[in-house]
Amino acid sequence: MAFSLPPARGSIKLVNILIDEYKLGVNKLVEEARLRPAEAVESINLMMVQDGVWKPRWGSDTYGAALEAVPDGAGEFIKTDGTRELIAIANGKFWKSTDGGSWTQVTGATFTAGTRTSMLQINSKLYVYNGVDDMALYDGSTLTTFSALSVPSGLALTRSSSMASGQYTLYYQVTALNDVGETVGGTEVSITVNKLRDSWTSTASDYVDLDWGNVTGATRYQIYMSTLSGYEVLLADSQVSAYRDDGTAQPNEFVEVPDDDTTSAPKFKSAWVSNNRLWGTYDLTNKYRVYYTGTGNFGFGRFSDFYGGGWIDLEPGGREEPRAGVHYQSGQGVGTSTVFCSTPEGRGSVWQVSIGSVTVGDDTFSVPSAFKIVGSSGTDSPFGVVTVENDVFFPNKDGAFSLGPEKNYYGLLRTNELTNRQRPYWRGISGNMINKIATFYYDAKVLFSVSTDGATNNRTIVYDRERLAWYVDWTIGFKQFLQYTDSDGNTHLLGVPESGTKLVELSADIQGDQGVAFRTSYLSGRIPINSRDWTKFAKIKKAFIKLGRPRGAINFSVLGTEKRRGYAQLASKTITSLFSLTGMGWDLMGSVQMGDTLGVPTAFAQATDIRFMKVNKRIRDIQFKVSSESTEADYTLLGLLAKGFELEISPPSSWKLTS
């Protein structure tokens, strides 16, 4: 509710300025004097509860045992027997723990310390990737990486006795495959024959034999052929290091020799699952590339085209570079792989990639196609994209955006800015850290952990999805968020800290940050005494505050613009609320128990606590501030009220314009 001017009592116009709704959250876009009563200038370390009233945010504390170093990433892994492990990467090592117990190192892969690392579980395996080191896989007992295979060498070509050297030249290359990918092609080798390949006899008389050296670790080989040097396409595959080309296999014009070796898996910073395929992007050496694997038990997790995988470059050589992706719907509601791109100025774009198929002979191959959503915005951060109910939220240099269907328009997706009222704050976020913003959706709130110091994610701003309001800001930040469910079924919201060797838990049951008090502060806009005539002054006699279940020391201040002094603090008091303990005699006093019953003391405070202080100031606008600085402080801000009467006085002399 805003404020009202009650009917005049005689010649006196009473003034009541009331704020008991805060539903519009924080607004940083306009000056304090332009804010509506339901908007706040700041909400430091506050959050909304109930029907949209302010109270202190969740506290935080360390969770679990200490690691060897500051963790670079963390996640949860669910084993095939249903047990859950907490996973962390720290000091370049892979660690596991249960229920916050001691950490156990799992060997088999190492990581570059200080590199943010992400995790994704699918197909009973945990994929661990950071864009720098080889991707690792954890199955609940062993941790492995795929060593890159050697490129096949020593390719030799031999004509059948029915053919001789002639005017037709055939060019061949061979690649090796393992369980995840494919090497680049070996050295191109050519041979001339006197017969056009399409005219070779169907008997075994016309052929070319290929032989090459065995490659350690290879599960099979692929043979590429062309009649033009450098244009080889897939011809066939072989499980041994030999193949006979008798002219019956038909070249697949859609599959060329790989440009990159994927036998150690591509290196990417962002990965997601869409339509039973593993996708990845943000490859530091192939900045336009989006990778995908095959499907099903045969192809999932394998990037070679032999397994149904492959890659596509989005506008190679252009300004847009893919950074992250999710499984999302097309405008028609069909699930598809959705890729978020960045541009230098930060706007970016959104692409959607689908996989078709082409059959050549007896073989079927996947063929990717991509299209850009017109007018869309993208992201810089691979850690910042999160699915929020029927939308996708993501940050970029311009603000936080959502991707979703446009109402009343079938088949149309749109991106909308969410931070239009927070733009000045967002411009203060360090540009070099936009790509490190970490986003998470929890309890109908979208948490954006951002940097205002240019070095770490030291702040968190929150978008309340239920109340459509922003909390700006929380004085705590993280590299990454995750949830972990312990053996008792309790789910913990955890953060990967910027400093310290333990994970951090956020919870409503925790006070302070690791035992240290954090400051809370609500500051209203500067509300005029008379909204229809802002030259009017009033004598404010008293200011009231209505708190719900207050505990600890709470500071209440009133500020405003006086006729002579200008803007100043008018009055300030500290509210100390006492609470009672029931069940006298439950605790021991020394060695004596007072009473004969056992139980747990119950702390309770008044459901509603109204306080007031005298102001007695002549002002033309008023501003309320409520804050706390102690660990035990807790409250719900239910309402603020100032009472007085309007004055019929001349304007201040300082307002007068002189020549």
Side-chain angles (χ1 to χ4, degrees):
M1 183 181 296
F3 62 90
S4 60
L5 297 173
R9 178 182 297 173
S11 61
I12 299 177
K13 292 184 179 179
L14 299 181
V15 173
N16 283 350
I17 300 176
L18 173 66
I19 302 177
D20 61 359
E21 288 186 355
Y22 314 90
K23 60 184 179 181
L24 298 181
V26 173
N27 187 342
K28 296 288 187 180
L29 186 62
V30 300
E31 294 290 342
E32 298 176 7
R34 296 288 296 170
L35 293 183
R36 289 169 283 182
E39 295 176 312
V41 175
E42 66 180 23
S43 62
I44 305 298
N45 290 320
L46 295 174
M47 62 189 294
M48 284 186 172
V49 296
Q50 301 178 43
D51 58 342
V53 292
W54 294 107
K55 75 165 291 153
R57 66 162 167 86
W58 306 315
S60 68
D61 203 355
T62 56
Y63 180 83
L67 291 150
E68 280 189 358
V70 179
D72 292 319
E76 180 186 67
F77 178 71
I78 303 176
K79 302 175 69 172
T80 54
D81 62 3
T83 58
R84 293 174 290 271
E85 293 180 336
L86 185 59
I87 307 297
I89 306 298
N91 200 25
K93 303 173 185 177
F94 184 103
W95 304 88
K96 67 177 182 178
S97 169
T98 302
D99 296 340
S102 60
W103 294 97
T104 301
Q105 183 185 355
V106 181
T107 59
T110 57
F111 307 88
T112 301
T115 303
R116 293 198 185 191
T117 303
S118 301
M119 305 174 194
L120 174 67
Q121 181 175 349
I122 192 69
N123 204 27
S124 300
K125 293 182 177 62
L126 186 70
Y127 291 78
V128 186
Y129 49 92
N130 60 18
V132 175
D133 304 298
D134 290 339
M135 185 176 68
L137 274 74
Y138 176 62
D139 64 3
S141 58
T142 59
L143 179 68
T144 59
T145 59
F146 292 95
S147 300
L149 299 179
S150 300
V151 178
S153 61
L155 175 61
L157 307 177
T158 306
R159 291 180 294 269
S160 65
S161 58
S162 64
M163 293 194 295
S165 177
Q167 69 272 34
Y168 303 107
T169 304
L170 301 176
Y171 299 88
Y172 293 90
Q173 283 184 277
V174 177
T175 64
L177 286 78
N178 62 7
D179 283 342
V180 69
E182 183 177 4
T183 67
V184 297
T187 303
E188 180 187 74
V189 178
S190 64
I191 190 171
T192 63
V193 293
N194 61 344
K195 296 181 181 179
L196 189 65
R197 186 175 182 275
D198 290 342
S199 65
W200 291 358
T201 62
S202 58
T203 64
S205 58
D206 297 337
Y207 57 83
V208 173
D209 279 336
L210 291 76
D211 291 280
W212 58 91
N214 285 319
V215 175
T216 302
T219 57
R220 63 180 59 239
Y221 306 90
Q222 294 204 138
I223 299 91
Y224 295 80
M225 187 275 296
S226 177
T227 57
L228 293 173
S229 176
Y231 290 88
E232 287 84 0
V233 295
L234 183 63
L235 180 67
D237 67 274
S238 173
Q239 292 183 333
V240 298
S241 57
Y243 176 74
R244 173 167 289 183
D245 178 12
D246 60 7
T248 57
Q250 295 301 309
N252 185 339
E253 302 293 337
F254 294 95
V255 183
E256 300 177 347
V257 180
D259 293 329
D260 301 290
D261 189 337
T262 56
T263 55
S264 60
K267 293 182 175 69
F268 41 69
K269 289 180 175 291
S270 176
W272 64 100
V273 174
S274 179
N275 292 326
N276 200 30
R277 296 179 188 269
L278 177 64
W279 297 73
T281 194
Y282 204 166
D283 182 338
L284 298 177
T285 58
N286 297 284
K287 58 184 181 180
Y288 302 103
R289 189 151 298 176
V290 178
Y291 298 95
Y292 59 91
T293 71
T295 63
N297 292 331
F298 177 74
F300 189 87
R302 298 170 176 177
F303 294 90
S304 168
D305 60 83
F306 176 80
Y307 301 110
W311 52 265
I312 183 173
D313 283 336
L314 304 181
E315 288 190 351
R319 301 179 69 253
E320 299 176 4
E321 300 177 10
R323 287 289 185 266
V326 295
H327 177 69
Y328 191 60
Q329 65 182 13
S330 67
Q332 291 76 31
V334 178
T336 189
S337 189
T338 304
V339 183
F340 296 81
C341 296
S342 171
T343 52
E345 79 285 353
R347 178 176 175 82
S349 65
V350 180
W351 291 68
Q352 294 194 311
V353 183
S354 59
I355 306 296
S357 61
V358 173
T359 300
V360 178
D362 295 330
D363 297 318
T364 300
F365 299 89
S366 60
V367 179
S369 61
F371 69 92
K372 180 163 54 176
I373 297 175
V374 177
S376 59
S377 297
T379 188
D380 304 274
S381 177
F383 318 100
V385 179
V386 62
T387 301
V388 179
E389 299 163 20
N390 197 40
D391 293 320
V392 180
F393 282 30
F394 55 93
N396 62 35
K397 290 181 180 179
D398 291 337
F401 289 79
S402 66
L403 171 69
E406 183 67 19
K407 292 182 179 179
N408 303 320
Y409 288 91
Y410 176 75
L412 181 64
L413 294 180
R414 54 88 188 109
T415 52
N416 286 339
E417 184 186 358
L418 302 168
T419 45
N420 55 318
R421 293 194 297 158
Q422 314 303 326
R423 286 175 189 160
Y425 180 92
W426 200 271
R427 292 190 190 106
I429 296 174
S430 303
N432 66 312
M433 292 290 289
I434 293 291
N435 65 340
K436 299 289 181 30
I437 293 176
T439 306
F440 198 73
Y441 183 52
Y442 178 81
D443 192 31
K445 300 169 183 60
V446 187
L447 286 68
F448 293 85
S449 201
V450 302
S451 174
T452 59
D453 63 5
T456 62
N457 284 350
N458 62 328
R459 293 288 189 271
T460 298
I461 63 173
V462 182
Y463 183 69
D464 191 318
R465 178 70 167 178
E466 291 178 330
R467 300 168 183 88
L468 305 180
W470 282 95
Y471 318 154
V472 184
D473 58 11
W474 293 358
T475 57
I476 190 170
F478 301 95
K479 297 177 184 177
Q480 188 183 77
F481 295 96
L482 66 144
Q483 286 181 272
Y484 171 68
T485 303
D486 62 28
S487 299
D488 293 329
N490 300 313
T491 298
H492 304 266
L493 173 62
L494 304 179
V496 178
E498 291 281 6
S499 62
T501 59
K502 294 183 179 181
L503 298 177
V504 175
E505 179 177 10
L506 287 86
S507 173
D509 298 326
I510 300 173
Q511 292 182 322
D513 287 329
Q514 299 182 42
V516 178
F518 55 75
R519 178 177 68 94
T520 70
S521 177
Y522 162 82
L523 184 62
S524 74
R526 291 169 64 171
I527 304 169
I529 294 301
N530 187 323
S531 62
R532 294 181 295 275
D533 186 351
W534 33 261
T535 67
K536 291 292 187 179
F537 282 78
K539 179 74 173 287
I540 297 299
K541 301 288 288 181
K542 296 176 182 178
F544 296 79
I545 184 171
K546 183 179 181 182
L547 297 172
R549 304 190 184 280
R551 187 174 69 234
I554 302 160
N555 304 312
F556 176 39
S557 301
V558 175
L559 306 96
T561 305
E562 294 186 77
K563 183 176 181 180
R564 290 185 175 85
R565 286 202 306 162
Y567 180 73
Q569 178 173 288
L570 308 177
S572 182
K573 296 292 182 181
T574 298
I575 303 166
T576 302
S577 296
L578 302 177
F579 61 87
S580 301
L581 294 178
T582 62
M584 173 75 174
W586 286 348
D587 293 323
L588 292 175
M589 299 180 65
S591 59
V592 180
Q593 179 173 300
M594 305 297 293
D596 58 1
T597 59
L598 297 176
V600 179
T602 301
F604 65 90
Q606 298 181 52
T608 302
D609 191 349
I610 300 176
R611 305 293 181 95
F612 77 90
M613 62 183 173
K614 293 181 179 180
V615 178
N616 289 325
K617 301 291 184 182
R618 296 181 177 188
I619 58 176
R620 65 177 176 84
D621 60 26
I622 190 169
Q623 189 171 34
F624 299 96
K625 183 173 183 177
V626 181
S627 62
S628 67
E629 306 223 359
S630 63
T631 305
E632 68 275 7
D634 192 21
Y635 59 91
T636 303
L637 182 55
L638 301 178
L640 297 159
L641 175 65
K643 287 190 173 188
F645 54 87
E646 193 171 303
L647 300 172
E648 293 295 337
I649 58 177
S650 60
S653 59
S654 61
W655 290 6
K656 185 177 180 180
L657 297 174
T658 59
S659 59

